[in-house]
Amino acid sequence: MANDAPRFTPYTHPAGGWGAAAATAKVLLEQSVLTTGSRALLSMNQPGGFKCPSCAFPDPECRKTLEFCENGAKALAFEATKHRITREFFQQHTVTELMAQSDYWLEMQGRLTEPMRYDASTDRYVPCTWDDAFALIGRHLKALDSPHQAEFYTSGRTPNEAAFLYAIFVRAFGTNNFPDCSNMCHEPTSRGLPPAIGVGKGTVVMEDFDHAEAIFVVGQNTGTNSPRMMTNLVEARKRGVPIVAINPMPERALIRFTAPQDVIQMATFGSTEIASEFVHVRIGGDLALFKGLMKVLFERAAAGEPVLDQEFIRAHTTGFETIRDETLTHDWAEIVETSGISEAQIRRVAEIYIRSRATMICYGMGLTQHQEGSRLLQQVVNLLLLCGNFGKLGAGIAPIRGHSNVQGDRTVGIDEQPPQAYLDRVRDVFGFEPPRAPGHHTVAAVEAMARGEAKVFVGMGGNFVRAVPDTERSYAAMRQLALTVGISTKLNRGHLVHGRDALILPVISRSEIIRTSSGEQFVTIEDSVSKVTASRGVLEPASPDLRSEVEIVCRMAMATLPDSRIPWERYSQDYDLIRDKIAAVYPDIYADFSERIKSPTGFHLDVPPRRRVWPTENGKANFLLFPGLAVNAAVADPSMLRLATVRSHDQFNTTIYSMNDRYRGVYNNRMVLFINAEDRAERGLSDGAQVAVETISKDGVTRRVEGLTVIDYPMPRGAVAGYYPELNPLLPLEYCDRISGTPAAKSIPVRVVAVRADSAVGG
Ligand SMILES: Nc1nc2c(c(=O)[nH]1)N[C@H]1C(S)=C(S)[C@@H](COP(=O)(O)OP(=O)(O)OC[C@H]3O[C@@H](n4cnc5c(=O)[nH]c(N)nc54)[C@H](O)[C@@H]3O)O[C@H]1N2
Ligand SMILES: Nc1nc2c(c(=O)[nH]1)N[C@H]1C(S)=C(S)[C@@H](COP(=O)(O)OP(=O)(O)OC[C@H]3O[C@@H](n4cnc5c(=O)[nH]c(N)nc54)[C@H](O)[C@@H]3O)O[C@H]1N2
Ligand SMILES: [Mo]
């Protein structure tokens, strides 16, 4: 499917409902998996079955219904597809030819079936044995001058057992170079929250949704990216709980949503109004909004109203006066101008917050992907602390994670800045001295490749080159490498932008059975609310020549570290042995892992702030000052617009399921730019005009994407949006949050350039 002329038809139905049911059936049919797929769906997220490979939203503790959503079903259908990529496929297409195909086309070719090695003489991937593949990896890694010349990427589908051993292997090899997808995603959560509350994770569990008296959903497109959370929001609305949605895009599902499993509501075409307040914030305007809310609280407290939880603040926190005094320096005009929200609405939202005795704040990429994402999240904590919204039922902070095991991978060691205590445990348990210096995160890894320092890239899942910023520079950097290894289920761009040597290693997916000499194995994952559950695939592997991620890690280790005393071979056969080692390295949270995982509904890892215990340096929860109202550097250019790169309803990150974005009313084409009609008219453009977009930056590099169609959309003034990954060429590598290294993908300063004579150039 190519990009045809885009069609824009506003979606007037509630999100979810029959539209979602129809879309689910259609995709199962298209991937020819109606029977296997439907059978597998019955096991998805059920005790004894496998965890949905899509998002990290938790399962309900006691819901009896089928537990999947339209997009989970899509993820499964595309994983369980009947289509296969064979050696004949690679024989028919050179890599250069494949490079000319779209991401969508590559995905549609189906599952990878056997290991392949790049052959430069024919520009083709050719079959190779697993033994040869591991030998090649071992040879390259052993030939490096320093272990720091290798980068070991992880994407968040990799289960705990594989990630834990990968972390041990790479540290035994000698580096902490662990770029991972989290570095582009919730890293501000992992780095920003610890100084404030002592943990870099969310503090809520599923049960809290049933007790919250107000729920904030900030910078998250729930209906598309965490659809199962919609059930919680619908239930909360039915209890009369106010929901405050804060977003520059009026996302359909946050306005009206019908739960596809709610049969009565579907039969009567009813729907639930979701947001009681939709706050149409400007891109990056959240800081000003939060300060406005806090200002209302401080003003009313000063007037004698009991709006703050003084006792909690006294007993548990530090820094209150500092943030109060700074907040009060901002006047309303400044707050309203920066946030784009009227004082009246800010006061209304503050009223909701004040009345609620238990508030949850959920957030996604709309808050993390800014230049000061980490410090912005600390302001969310400030707001929660003011009313004691930690350590009580229904309250807390809820980062809604992306990949299904991205949180778990970090917990078990995928961390370029590992805590020294973890390294000590690794030394004691495994008997080697791990490297102590911090390694590379994603942006640093690309920089090391570009400088020619990094030589080897191993990708445990994911699609690194497509996910990272600055596409052109990143492609060039990858192409300089000596070896690239893609450990994957599906063909993607990452296999085509490769090093001098390159391998594609196909893996058994989440929904498939893993058999070893010790019998069928299961793996575990940790969801967004720190709950660990077992995942056991039910389908036959897509090909007999696939290997599990655990086995691939073990065999890379054996090929690279022949003298290692770690029993890699035994781990690859018996995953209980790996879980015993996880328990040994993390006695505080994973004690008795093998026993506890027998519970069909899993178990929660301890999150101390839930008990009002703060593992910070001073043992307190800390109000942290972030002066001013700006989360992104100012740009002195009157033509500047802020661009947010977002997901459509029909994609999973770099995997494109179709060219449509149903809830936003866009069909046939992803090369669109959502723009406010006034911003558009001011630039002399007509609705539907063809434009190019250019990044405004001082580094002398021209970053430009052509072939975009402008679409009038209810965006705030000065804000535009378009799709990731097509717009990644516009995002400069250095344009990231300093604390976490997370690229500021939601706030790229751009200008729009008309490309047709009939529409004048806008600045
Ligand atoms: N079906 C599906 N599910 C997924 C994924 C997928 O691609 N497809 N990806 C998974 C992954 S890895 C992740 S991280 C999550 C991502 O899930 P989301 O966090 O929902 O990700 P995005 O689509 O990037 O969009 C975030 C939202 O932020 C808003 N936004 C943009 N700028 C701002 C701002 O300045 N302030 C505020 N308040 N909002 C802003 C956008 O309008 C958009 O609604 O979903 C996970 N689940
Ligand atoms: N501009 C911009 N850039 C962004 C973002 C944005 O919002 N805007 N979002 C960022 C975010 S939040 C994230 S998380 C990253 C995502 O970055 P990645 O996680 O690197 O990308 P994905 O598209 O999720 O990776 C898809 C590939 O994973 C492989 N795969 C699928 N399932 C499995 C499995 O079970 N095992 C293994 N080994 N491989 C598997 C398949 O081969 C598939 O092609 O992108 C980031 N980049
Ligand atoms: Mo993500």
Side-chain angles (χ1 to χ4, degrees):
M1 201 182 316
N3 273 323
D4 296 327
R7 182 163 63 81
F8 181 58
T9 318
Y11 193 77
T12 50
H13 314 288
W18 290 111
T24 305
K26 181 165 175 279
V27 78
L28 287 171
L29 201 64
E30 276 169 3
Q31 294 301 307
S32 323
V33 287
L34 207 48
T35 43
T36 36
S38 316
R39 186 159 45 78
L41 272 179
L42 295 177
S43 315
M44 190 148 90
N45 297 329
Q46 298 297 328
F50 62 96
K51 309 310 293 178
C52 178
S54 193
C55 76
F57 199 72
D59 303 330
E61 244 104 85
C62 56
R63 230 183 262 145
K64 294 264 173 344
T65 52
L66 290 181
E67 202 34 62
F68 62 87
C69 66
E70 175 193 345
N71 280 341
K74 267 185 222 156
L76 174 66
F78 279 71
E79 187 172 289
T81 176
K82 281 275 167 61
H83 305 296
R84 296 286 179 274
I85 294 187
T86 58
R87 54 177 71 186
E88 289 75 29
F89 170 89
F90 286 110
Q91 182 55 39
Q92 282 156 16
H93 305 280
T94 64
V95 169
T96 309
E97 283 163 23
L98 292 174
M99 210 37 210
Q101 297 288 354
S102 68
D103 295 319
Y104 172 80
W105 187 91
L106 296 175
E107 170 68 24
M108 287 303 142
Q109 304 314 305
R111 288 286 297 277
L112 296 159
T113 51
E114 62 179 324
M116 305 295 292
R117 178 184 174 172
Y118 181 68
D119 172 27
S121 67
T122 59
D123 187 32
R124 284 182 171 82
Y125 273 99
V126 296
C128 76
T129 64
W130 282 100
D131 285 345
D132 288 345
F134 292 121
L136 184 70
I137 295 171
R139 245 189 349 265
H140 271 279
L141 289 176
K142 284 187 283 190
L144 297 177
D145 299 329
S146 146
H148 305 304
Q149 292 175 334
E151 306 289 348
F152 295 90
Y153 181 63
T154 316
S155 167
R157 272 193 198 175
T158 296
N160 290 328
E161 288 73 10
F164 174 78
L165 285 187
Y166 189 46
I168 299 299
F169 154 50
V170 171
R171 293 197 167 96
F173 174 61
T175 184
N176 286 313
N177 283 351
F178 284 105
D180 83 319
C181 70
S182 172
N183 299 150
M184 298 176 263
C185 180
H186 264 294
E187 200 63 40
T189 300
S190 306
R191 304 290 173 211
L193 298 191
I197 57 171
V199 298
K201 297 182 175 188
T203 67
V204 307
V205 298
M206 274 299 256
E207 195 191 355
D208 289 310
F209 278 95
D210 302 332
H211 298 275
E213 295 188 7
I215 300 175
F216 283 56
V217 182
V218 195
Q220 197 223 351
N221 184 9
T222 316
T224 287
N225 293 322
S226 314
R228 287 183 301 127
M229 178 174 155
M230 290 310 301
T231 314
N232 300 77
L233 296 184
V234 169
E235 281 170 8
R237 276 309 279 152
K238 287 182 179 161
R239 285 192 293 119
V241 172
I243 293 176
V244 179
I246 301 173
N247 204 308
M249 302 187 88
E251 306 290 18
R252 192 67 217 158
L254 293 171
I255 311 290
R256 292 200 84 80
F257 182 83
T258 307
Q261 286 133 11
D262 188 335
V263 177
I264 298 176
Q265 210 175 51
M266 279 173 74
T268 56
F269 295 96
S271 64
T272 309
E273 202 165 285
I274 295 293
S276 18
E277 275 301 331
F278 176 69
V279 184
H280 203 194
V281 72
R282 300 176 84 160
I283 287 181
D286 306 83
L287 177 61
L289 172 68
F290 297 148
K291 291 223 173 150
L293 294 171
M294 290 196 275
K295 184 178 165 83
V296 176
L297 265 66
F298 293 134
E299 284 176 356
R300 290 174 59 169
E305 281 189 67
V307 296
L308 303 177
D309 188 338
Q310 299 286 4
E311 209 182 303
F312 175 87
I313 294 171
R314 231 184 346 266
H316 290 283
T317 72
T318 68
F320 170 78
E321 287 80 12
T322 314
I323 65 130
R324 181 195 56 201
D325 297 348
E326 196 274 345
T327 303
L328 290 171
T329 62
H330 299 289
D331 61 31
W332 280 110
E334 196 192 352
I335 289 171
V336 168
E337 167 63 22
T338 314
S339 64
I341 307 303
S342 69
E343 182 183 336
Q345 190 178 25
I346 296 178
R347 289 191 181 278
R348 273 203 315 275
V349 173
E351 184 63 30
I352 291 176
Y353 185 61
I354 289 167
R355 285 203 187 169
S356 156
R357 284 164 305 173
T359 301
M360 265 171 72
I361 302 186
C362 312
Y363 64 89
M365 298 298 99
L367 281 196
T368 63
Q369 293 175 333
H370 293 284
Q371 278 180 302
E372 294 278 9
S374 297
R375 296 169 85 198
L376 178 57
L377 299 185
Q378 294 168 352
Q379 306 309 299
V380 176
V381 172
N382 287 350
L383 188 58
L384 288 167
L385 289 175
L386 286 177
C387 296
N389 276 312
F390 283 103
K392 65 183 176 192
L393 216 53
I397 192 161
I400 306 298
R401 296 275 173 171
H403 267 300
S404 50
N405 197 40
V406 61
Q407 182 165 321
D409 290 346
R410 173 58 53 85
T411 303
V412 300
I414 303 304
D415 191 344
E416 81 283 0
Q417 300 174 49
Q420 295 300 319
Y422 156 79
L423 297 174
D424 291 343
R425 296 293 307 167
V426 169
R427 178 197 56 209
D428 297 346
V429 171
F430 287 98
F432 69 88
E433 184 57 45
R436 298 280 168 167
H440 293 156
H441 54 47
T442 291
V443 166
V446 179
E447 286 169 344
M449 292 176 199
R451 285 194 306 268
E453 285 166 25
K455 313 268 186 217
V456 173
F457 171 86
V458 177
M460 177 56 79
N463 186 3
F464 188 78
V465 274
R466 252 345 232 165
V468 299
D470 242 346
T471 307
E472 241 174 85
R473 264 168 86 195
S474 301
Y475 280 16
M478 291 291 284
R479 288 192 168 117
Q480 297 188 54
L481 296 172
L483 172 70
T484 49
V485 181
I487 301 166
S488 320
T489 51
K490 290 286 190 78
L491 182 63
N492 65 44
R493 191 78 48 201
H495 307 122
L496 309 178
V497 180
H498 57 78
R500 284 189 297 287
D501 268 324
L503 289 166
I504 300 177
L505 304 183
V507 294
I508 298 177
S509 71
R510 184 73 63 75
S511 53
E512 294 167 345
I513 303 167
I514 300 175
R515 292 189 188 86
T516 71
S517 61
S518 316
E520 267 183 36
Q521 302 296 314
F522 68 89
V523 294
T524 61
I525 69 133
E526 175 190 341
D527 63 27
S528 252
V529 300
S530 306
K531 197 170 85 167
V532 180
T533 38
S535 176
R536 199 186 287 272
V538 298
L539 301 177
E540 277 305 315
S543 145
D545 222 5
L546 305 184
R547 295 292 180 269
S548 72
E549 289 164 286
V550 166
E551 182 178 341
I552 291 172
V553 170
C554 291
R555 293 190 59 187
M556 286 196 295
M558 288 152 71
T560 310
L561 310 167
D563 301 328
S564 171
R565 280 173 300 152
I566 297 168
W568 299 106
E569 172 66 30
R570 288 177 56 211
Y571 292 151
S572 72
Q573 301 302 313
D574 183 352
Y575 296 7
D576 274 336
L577 298 177
I578 309 173
R579 284 184 281 271
D580 289 345
K581 290 296 173 194
I582 295 178
V585 171
Y586 302 97
D588 296 346
I589 50 172
Y590 267 119
D592 296 327
F593 190 6
S594 290
E595 253 331 285
R596 280 196 291 165
I597 198 62
K598 289 182 184 153
S599 154
T601 52
F603 61 92
H604 279 106
L605 298 180
D606 181 39
V607 179
R610 286 187 63 74
R611 296 178 277 117
R612 296 194 166 176
V613 171
W614 319 97
T616 51
E617 269 176 27
N618 58 7
K620 295 276 187 185
N622 297 305
F623 285 100
L624 296 174
L625 178 67
F626 179 9
L629 297 179
V631 286
N632 296 292
V635 176
D637 184 332
S639 70
M640 191 268 282
L641 295 164
R642 287 272 175 200
L643 168 71
T645 53
V646 299
R647 294 155 170 79
S648 78
H649 191 65
D650 256 6
Q651 76 183 83
F652 192 94
N653 297 337
T654 68
T655 299
I656 311 302
Y657 299 136
S658 90
M659 296 305 186
N660 303 337
D661 190 1
R662 190 168 83 238
Y663 294 154
R664 297 198 187 105
V666 177
Y667 296 89
N668 300 337
N669 193 321
R670 292 171 47 86
M671 295 297 281
V672 298
L673 187 72
F674 299 94
I675 192 168
N676 179 293
E678 289 174 49
D679 282 327
R680 192 238 327 131
E682 230 171 50
R683 285 162 177 74
L685 299 165
S686 52
D687 189 12
Q690 293 289 303
V691 297
V693 170
E694 272 179 15
T695 308
I696 301 172
S697 65
K698 294 200 194 95
D699 60 6
V701 180
T702 303
R703 297 182 182 83
R704 183 180 167 104
V705 170
E706 313 260 352
L708 290 158
T709 303
V710 292
I711 289 182
D712 281 357
Y713 203 76
M715 301 295 297
R717 288 301 301 272
V720 289
Y723 296 120
Y724 143 68
E726 286 82 350
L727 298 184
N728 286 34
L730 296 171
L731 181 52
L733 197 55
E734 298 74 18
Y735 191 67
C736 61
D737 174 23
R738 272 177 303 115
I739 294 176
S740 69
T742 302
K746 294 293 182 274
S747 55
I748 313 172
V750 296
R751 70 168 74 84
V752 173
V753 185
V755 291
R756 280 226 201 98
D758 59 38
S759 35
V761 175

